[in-house]
Amino acid sequence: MQPINPSDIQARIDALKEQELYIHLEMTTGAYAAHFDSSKHPGSIFITNTTVKFSHGSISGSGPYRIGLKMEQGWIYAEGLTYYEEQEKERLIMAGHDSQGKLIVAFQLSKTPF
């Protein structure tokens, strides 16, 4: 994975709008590791292979980045993204890692299921 290039990501988002897509979105604030440190408040979200169709999408921030997708009946929003898979041309695959390299957030869009 490569550090996010906002203009490349925006072009990829624009190329995917108004299409039925599969989304994978997950986030954790330590839910997998809370048993190692009881002072950590665990939190997580996981959704995969649900279809979405958005009319507007954008990337913002100066790193870590935010992604927002405007759908007919609401928004999907992810924050904390730091890297993307540059070689992946048919899918948008992004992730956010903490200072120790641990996954914090994953955001993926594809025309086919994950």
Side-chain angles (χ1 to χ4, degrees):
M1 296 191 94
Q2 300 294 319
I4 286 177
N5 174 336
S7 59
D8 187 24
I9 297 303
Q10 187 62 58
R12 291 175 187 227
I13 291 169
D14 291 343
L16 292 169
K17 73 180 179 178
E18 299 296 348
Q19 299 178 50
E20 282 286 322
L21 301 169
Y22 291 91
I23 188 167
H24 173 87
L25 177 60
E26 68 178 283
M27 185 276 303
T28 182
T29 60
Y32 300 123
H35 59 280
F36 292 122
D37 182 352
S38 62
S39 70
K40 303 250 185 219
H41 181 81
S44 65
I45 185 171
F46 182 87
I47 185 170
T48 195
N49 290 328
T50 297
T51 57
V52 297
K53 184 177 182 180
F54 64 94
S55 60
H56 174 75
S58 64
I59 182 169
S60 60
S62 57
Y65 297 92
R66 296 177 299 281
I67 293 281
L69 304 178
K70 172 72 171 111
M71 297 174 303
E72 185 176 320
Q73 305 226 349
W75 284 85
I76 294 175
Y77 176 84
E79 186 167 357
L81 298 160
T82 54
Y83 294 93
Y84 76 114
E85 183 55 57
E86 185 179 34
Q87 301 303 315
E88 197 58 67
K89 299 300 180 190
E90 297 297 316
R91 302 184 296 178
L92 177 59
I93 296 179
M94 302 176 67
H97 297 99
D98 67 12
S99 60
Q100 297 174 333
K102 294 179 182 173
L103 181 68
I104 299 297
V105 61
F107 179 91
Q108 303 172 4
L109 291 172
S110 174
K111 296 177 184 178
T112 58
F114 293 98

